[in-house]
């Protein structure tokens, strides 16, 4: 989230141009992730050969009173389009820059299944499943009884102690922060019952965010398999690294006991890091980095950064 805020500040200071051309650096010639992730995000998982050279971010509609303006992405001189053939057009320059960067760093093969910012932006534009904020909130809350840190292992005493030591403080923080009650399950197959009052409080919190932001938050929570840890990172109770480590507590414990399969466990870890980071960045850019038109500003700056409180989200 801090990195995305820095990106926005760079845009406003003029260090990043909306017509900046992206090229591949030798330092960026890393192998693409081999792990495949089946998701509901709207993109094709099939890789395609790179068919473009330069990537640029271009303004589509100029900002004016009551309108923040819109931006698109050009591959050479061709406008990027969504899977539904709609023009790729977003009302946030930072999101357009993030998507353009994903296309720019591709090598000979465009690995669409690793381009999570593009997938999230396409989903927000096309909305192929006709989702609403309310339906997304319900999906996230239906996942809560299956949250990773609500389940404790009774088979290994050391693992049980680690879960109590590392998970309990974060569960207690979550319950106090949102004034909810969440039961812990040990050795049970049936999911725990979440009180309706607690679900209502959490639904109100989630509904305060923009539709685009909720898509990113849901994607991040799915990556960690934990809404509780995701909200901990969102509220800055946890760092991104801490959230990732806590979500992998049981897996890392088993790896230490049985050994690590590098080609499997390492790729899975990198894939989770990538998906969670992109989800949180997409949330951040659509929550803390909206752009609005300012009539009387410095002549060199026509767009201003405004950090909105959750009460003003669309």
């Amino acid at each position: 989230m801090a990195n995305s805020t820095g990106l926005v500040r760079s845009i406003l200071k003029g260090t990043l141009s909306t017509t900046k051309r992206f090229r591949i650096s030798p330092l960026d010639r890393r192998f693409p992730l081999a792990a495949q992730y089946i998701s509901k995000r709207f993109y094709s998982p099939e890789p395609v050969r790179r068919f473009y050279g330069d990537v640029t971010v271009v303004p589509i509609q100029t900002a004016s009173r009551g309108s923040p303006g819109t931006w698109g992405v050009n591959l050479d001189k061709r406008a990027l389009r969504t899977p539904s053939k709609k023009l790729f057009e977003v009302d946030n320059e930072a999101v357009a820059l993030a998507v353009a960067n994903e296309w720019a760093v591709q090598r000979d093969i465009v690995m669409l299944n690793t381009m999570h910012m593009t997938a999230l932006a396409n989903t927000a534009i096309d909305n192929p499943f006709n989702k609403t904020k309310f339906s997304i909130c319900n999906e996230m809350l239906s996942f809560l009884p299956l949250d990773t840190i609500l389940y404790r292992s009774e088979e290994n005493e050391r693992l049980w102690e680690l879960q109590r030591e590392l998970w309990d403080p974060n569960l207690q923080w979550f319950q106090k922060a949102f004034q909810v009650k969440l039961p812990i399950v040990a050795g049970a197959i049936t999911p725990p019952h979440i009180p309706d009052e607690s679900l209502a409080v959490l639904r109100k919190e989630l509904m305060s965010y923009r539709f685009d932001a909720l898509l990113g938050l849901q994607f991040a929570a799915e990556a960690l398999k934990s809404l509780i840890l995701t909200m901990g990172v969102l509220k800055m109770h946890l760092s991104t690294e801490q959230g990732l480590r806590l979500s992998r507590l049981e897996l890392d414990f088993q790896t230490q006991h049985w050994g690590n399969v590098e080609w499997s466990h390492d790729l899975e870890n990198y894939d989770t890091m990538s998906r969670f980071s992109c989800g949180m960045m997409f949330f951040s850019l659509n929550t803390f980095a909206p752009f609005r038109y300012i009539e009387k500003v410095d002549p060199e700056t026509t767009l201003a950064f405004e950090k909105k409180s959750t009460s003003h989200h669309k």
Side-chain angles (χ1 to χ4, degrees):
M1 294 175 67
N3 292 339
S4 60
T5 303
L7 173 63
V8 175
R9 289 175 178 167
S10 297
I11 295 171
L12 297 177
K13 290 179 180 178
T15 57
L16 288 176
S17 170
T18 55
T19 58
K20 180 177 180 179
R21 294 178 179 269
F22 296 86
R23 294 188 182 277
I24 300 176
S25 166
L27 295 178
D28 292 324
R29 295 184 181 276
R30 304 180 179 90
F31 63 88
L33 293 174
Q36 301 287 328
Y37 178 67
I38 301 176
S39 173
K40 292 183 179 179
R41 305 298 162 258
F42 201 32
Y43 62 91
S44 169
E46 297 297 328
V48 297
R49 184 168 296 279
R50 179 163 176 156
F51 54 89
Y52 55 92
D54 295 328
V55 183
T56 56
V57 173
V58 294
I60 297 178
Q61 294 183 12
T62 306
S64 61
R65 182 180 294 277
S67 174
T70 59
W71 289 264
V73 175
N74 280 1
L75 306 178
D76 292 330
K77 295 183 179 181
R78 290 173 290 186
L80 180 65
R81 293 189 176 274
T82 70
S84 290
K85 307 303 180 183
K86 294 180 181 178
L87 178 67
F88 182 90
E89 184 177 9
V90 293
D91 62 356
N92 191 312
E93 186 182 13
V95 172
L97 283 166
V99 170
N101 184 66
E102 279 192 331
W103 285 89
V105 298
Q106 301 300 308
R107 299 181 63 187
D108 295 335
I109 300 298
V110 180
M111 302 297 292
L112 296 173
N113 63 318
T114 66
M115 299 169 65
H116 305 306
M117 293 295 289
T118 299
L120 286 165
N122 284 341
T123 302
I125 295 171
D126 288 341
N127 194 11
F129 303 106
N130 298 315
K131 291 186 177 182
T132 63
K133 288 175 56 174
F134 189 77
S135 66
I136 295 175
C137 291
N138 282 343
E139 289 177 4
M140 297 177 71
L141 293 177
S142 66
F143 177 76
L144 185 59
L146 304 176
D147 197 286
T148 295
I149 72 171
L150 294 181
Y151 288 81
R152 307 302 165 88
S153 173
E154 291 183 325
E155 299 177 357
N156 188 295
E157 184 177 352
R158 177 53 185 157
L159 178 57
W160 173 277
E161 293 175 354
L162 281 174
Q163 291 172 335
R164 278 181 44 186
E165 177 185 350
L166 300 177
W167 283 354
D168 279 4
N170 294 287
L171 179 58
Q172 293 167 5
W173 167 84
F174 185 85
Q175 294 182 113
K176 183 178 180 181
F178 297 102
Q179 296 297 304
V180 297
K181 295 181 180 180
L182 301 178
I184 293 176
V185 177
I189 300 178
T190 305
H193 172 71
I194 308 297
D196 292 339
E197 296 79 5
S198 297
L199 293 176
V201 171
L202 294 174
R203 182 177 289 105
K204 182 178 180 181
E205 170 71 20
L206 295 175
M207 286 291 291
S208 68
Y209 300 119
R210 288 179 42 151
F211 175 80
D212 305 49
L214 276 176
L215 289 175
L217 191 64
Q218 183 184 32
F219 191 63
E222 289 174 355
L224 292 194
K225 300 180 176 64
S226 174
L227 177 61
I228 296 172
L229 293 178
T230 301
M231 295 303 291
V233 176
L234 168 62
K235 298 296 184 179
M236 299 184 182
H237 171 70
L238 296 170
S239 67
T240 300
E241 293 77 11
Q242 289 173 327
L244 287 165
R245 284 199 302 270
L246 289 171
S247 71
R248 293 175 54 86
L249 178 62
E250 186 171 355
L251 178 60
D252 289 342
F253 180 85
Q254 298 295 346
T255 299
Q256 291 175 5
H257 182 75
W258 297 104
N260 181 41
V261 181
E262 293 185 7
W263 64 268
S264 175
H265 291 153
D266 289 349
L267 286 176
E268 180 187 8
N269 185 34
Y270 294 142
D271 185 48
T272 301
M273 290 172 59
S274 173
R275 289 187 287 114
F276 180 69
S277 299
C278 285
M280 293 305 294
M281 185 176 182
F282 195 78
F283 172 88
S284 179
L285 293 180
N286 283 288
T287 303
F288 305 113
F291 291 91
R292 66 183 177 89
Y293 178 80
I294 303 296
E295 187 173 5
K296 295 181 179 180
V297 292
D298 186 285
E300 297 181 357
T301 306
T302 58
L303 296 174
F305 171 75
E306 178 183 49
K307 185 175 182 180
K308 294 185 178 180
S309 65
T310 55
S311 62
H312 291 90
H313 296 317
K314 295 182 180 179

